[in-house]
Amino acid sequence: AMAPAAVPATGAVVTAPAEVNLRTGPSADDPVLAVLPPGSPVSIDGDPVNGFLPVTANGASGWLAAELVGDAGGGAAPAAA
């Protein structure tokens, strides 16, 4: 079932052991918008595309590789199968 468009933002954190690149689009070829340190809080804004999640971090909206993000409870994000 498709989630409704008004789904609330999901609290998550950067679980990668090193800084991660927040990109302008869902590809490693897209320009880097910001660099986020490990543990940065992010909100997941939608469904993954091409292995990247749309997120907002530090007031900036961009894309992070899905495997770099986990929920704030410490578990892996559902997208990181």
Side-chain angles (χ1 to χ4, degrees):
M2 290 293 292
V7 67
T10 305
V13 294
V14 173
T15 55
E19 291 180 335
V20 299
N21 293 322
L22 182 69
R23 296 184 182 273
T24 58
S27 162
D29 296 325
D30 282 302
V32 175
L33 191 63
V35 177
L36 305 176
S40 296
V42 300
S43 63
I44 298 171
D45 299 333
D47 294 321
V49 175
N50 192 34
F52 284 73
L53 286 166
V55 302
T56 301
N58 292 338
S61 292
W63 296 79
L64 282 179
E67 69 268 17
L68 303 178
V69 181
D71 65 44

